């Protein structure tokens, strides 16, 4: 019997995206595109989700919550889950640990003030995680994150202390020919951050990015999404399909029509359930308790260590 969850992460980057990541902080036009995302894109997507009877997870930068309180209140009133997504879409890799924690704490406060409870989920801006991101999420009570890509359709527990050796051509080759250390498992559920299932890269023009295009036919992207879904559905009895959208992209008419077609397509498959990431996380933890996953992972680490020891002889 199929048990397939489809979870939409709606990242309302809005103006924050242009401040922190897209390079539009000095462009009145780009800032106005961020305004469009909240004032036009959010209500359009909320209307679509209501018509289709589905709940999604909105990842809101603190800047969006404070700058567009009416639109973010609409999200809450429609009973969608709300997760954290930085304040001004800052790149965690570029911040000090103190800055990153200050941003996280402020984001938690704003979401708690909006919804009455602390968020349990997070998406790192640009899907970039610093060396302390997971530690901070655990410290502040988060249950899941959607920023890593170790798997595509299966939830997994996050790993910390992952280490790898970069190539340095100024040194002897033996100094960089070393295997990766895959890291240590921690009790934070992760979901795939999959650029192929993200509406923004191919369908939002960004004049500041050398590889930006932004004029892709949404029907081409729809076919990619269908192919990914079809393969997943054929090969898994249990899976999570992680779709990422943005109101400044999927709020555009041609993309909104594509998203509606894609929702209708998915609904033709038996055993498919639309769910927020919080709901899927609770289900996954019942299926795969952390202690069981930790025991299995430690056994795998031991097998890898024995193999590497054998090779070194």
């Amino acid at each position: 019997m199929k048990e397939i969850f489809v979870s939409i992460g709606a990242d309302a980057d809005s103006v924050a995206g242009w401040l922190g990541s897209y390079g539009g902080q000095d462009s009145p036009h780009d800032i106005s595109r961020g305004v469009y995302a909240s004032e036009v894109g959010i209500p359009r997507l909320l209307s679509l989700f209501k018509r289709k009877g589905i709940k999604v997870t909105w990842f809101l930068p603190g800047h969006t919550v404070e700058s567009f309180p009416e639109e973010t209140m609409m999200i809450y009133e429609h009973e969608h889950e709300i997760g954290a997504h930085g304040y001004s879409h800052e790149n965690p890799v570029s911040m000090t640990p103190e800055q990153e924690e200050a941003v996280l704490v402020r984001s938690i406060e704003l979401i708690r003030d909006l919804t009455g409870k602390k968020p349990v989920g997070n998406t790192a801006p640009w899907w970039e995680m610093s060396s302390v991101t997971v530690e901070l999420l655990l410290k502040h009570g988060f249950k899941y994150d959607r920023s890593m890509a170790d798997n595509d359709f299966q939830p997994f527990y996050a790993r910390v202390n992952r280490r790898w050796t970069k190539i340095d051509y100024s040194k002897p080759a033996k100094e960089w020919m070393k295997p990766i250390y895959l890291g240590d498992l921690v009790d934070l559920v992760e979901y795939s951050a999959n650029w192929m299932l993200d509406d923004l890269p191919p369908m939002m023009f960004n004049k500041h990015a050398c590889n930006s295009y932004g004029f892709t036919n949404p029907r081409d992207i729809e076919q990619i999404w269908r192919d990914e879904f079809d393969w997943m559905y054929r090969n898994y009895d249990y899976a999570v399909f992680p779709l990422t959208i943005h109101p400044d992209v999927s709020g555009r008419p041609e993309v909104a029509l594509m998203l509606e077609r894609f929702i209708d397509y998915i609904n033709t498959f038996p055993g498919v359930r639309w769910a927020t990431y919080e709901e899927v996380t609770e289900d996954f933890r019942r299926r795969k308790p952390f202690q069981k996953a930790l025991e299995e992972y430690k056994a795998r680490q031991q097998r890898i260590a024995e193999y590497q020891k054998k090779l070194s002889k």
Side-chain angles (χ1 to χ4, degrees):
M1 180 178 178
K2 295 286 185 180
E3 293 182 283
I4 305 296
F5 292 89
V6 180
S7 296
I8 291 179
D11 296 359
D13 300 346
S14 302
V15 172
W18 293 103
L19 294 175
S21 297
Y22 306 160
Q25 65 272 15
D26 297 317
S27 168
H29 177 74
D30 286 341
I31 296 299
S32 74
R33 294 167 69 185
V35 174
Y36 170 94
S38 283
E39 294 185 348
V40 180
I42 288 177
R44 283 184 181 174
L45 288 177
L46 288 174
S47 177
L48 171 60
F49 298 148
K50 183 178 180 180
R51 290 200 314 273
K52 297 302 179 181
I54 62 178
K55 301 298 183 184
V56 310
T57 301
W58 288 81
F59 293 100
L60 302 182
H63 186 278
T64 302
V65 177
E66 287 202 282
S67 300
F68 302 97
E70 294 182 353
E71 287 75 19
T72 52
M73 180 57 69
M74 289 173 61
I75 293 172
Y76 172 67
E77 291 174 345
H78 279 70
E79 299 181 338
H80 296 286
E81 182 195 1
I82 295 177
H85 194 36
Y87 184 86
S88 297
H89 213 267
E90 307 88 349
N91 189 332
V93 175
S94 300
M95 291 190 285
T96 65
E98 292 76 19
Q99 289 174 322
E100 186 174 358
E101 184 165 25
V103 166
L104 184 62
V105 168
R106 182 57 177 156
S107 300
I108 293 170
E109 292 173 346
L110 289 168
I111 294 172
R112 183 182 59 204
D113 290 345
L114 174 67
T115 67
K117 69 172 188 176
K118 294 172 62 175
V120 298
N122 175 75
T123 287
W126 264 154
W127 287 336
E128 293 285 359
M129 304 182 80
S130 77
S131 60
V132 300
T133 298
V134 172
E135 174 186 333
L136 291 174
L137 293 176
L138 291 171
K139 175 181 177 180
H140 291 280
F142 283 82
K143 301 299 182 184
Y144 76 86
D145 175 73
R146 187 197 55 155
S147 307
M148 293 185 178
D150 291 27
N151 209 310
D152 47 10
F153 305 121
Q154 299 293 311
F156 54 97
Y157 287 99
R159 308 177 202 179
V160 296
N161 302 322
R162 180 171 288 174
R163 299 185 296 273
W164 59 94
T165 304
K166 294 189 289 185
I167 298 170
D168 185 345
Y169 292 111
S170 68
K171 298 178 180 179
K174 65 179 181 180
E175 295 194 23
W176 73 70
M177 292 193 297
K178 300 177 182 179
I180 186 174
Y181 177 69
L182 295 174
D184 305 314
L185 219 62
V186 294
D187 193 4
L188 182 74
V189 177
E190 277 287 349
Y191 297 94
S192 174
N194 186 345
W195 289 111
M196 296 302 294
L197 296 177
D198 188 325
D199 64 352
L200 190 148
M203 294 188 289
M204 188 178 84
F205 172 67
N206 182 351
K207 59 181 176 288
H208 309 284
C210 62
N211 63 342
S212 175
Y213 179 52
F215 299 95
T216 302
N217 186 339
R219 292 179 183 273
D220 294 333
I221 304 305
E222 180 182 359
Q223 187 60 58
I224 293 174
W225 290 2
R226 286 191 180 207
D227 288 345
E228 291 245 354
F229 182 85
D230 288 348
W231 189 96
M232 176 202 68
Y233 191 86
R234 178 190 303 168
N235 287 279
Y236 291 110
D237 290 328
Y238 163 76
V240 178
F241 191 78
L243 196 62
T244 300
I245 65 172
H246 300 74
D248 29 6
V249 182
S250 287
R252 303 297 305 182
E254 69 280 8
V255 187
L257 287 172
M258 180 270 275
L259 182 60
E260 185 168 3
R261 290 193 304 269
F262 188 64
I263 291 172
D264 290 341
Y265 176 72
I266 286 178
N267 285 338
T268 64
F269 289 80
V272 170
R273 173 187 167 191
W274 294 88
T276 65
Y277 280 100
E278 182 176 11
E279 292 172 324
V280 177
T281 299
E282 293 174 356
D283 177 83
F284 174 70
R285 287 182 177 276
R286 288 191 294 268
R287 295 172 185 265
K288 190 88 168 185
F290 174 69
Q291 286 303 320
K292 179 181 178 181
L294 182 59
E295 292 172 4
E296 293 176 354
Y297 186 67
K298 286 183 175 179
R300 180 168 184 249
Q301 284 182 307
Q302 182 62 35
R303 293 194 301 270
I304 292 174
E306 291 173 355
Y307 176 74
Q308 291 172 345
K309 183 178 180 180
K310 180 181 178 181
L311 291 179
S312 66
K313 291 181 177 180

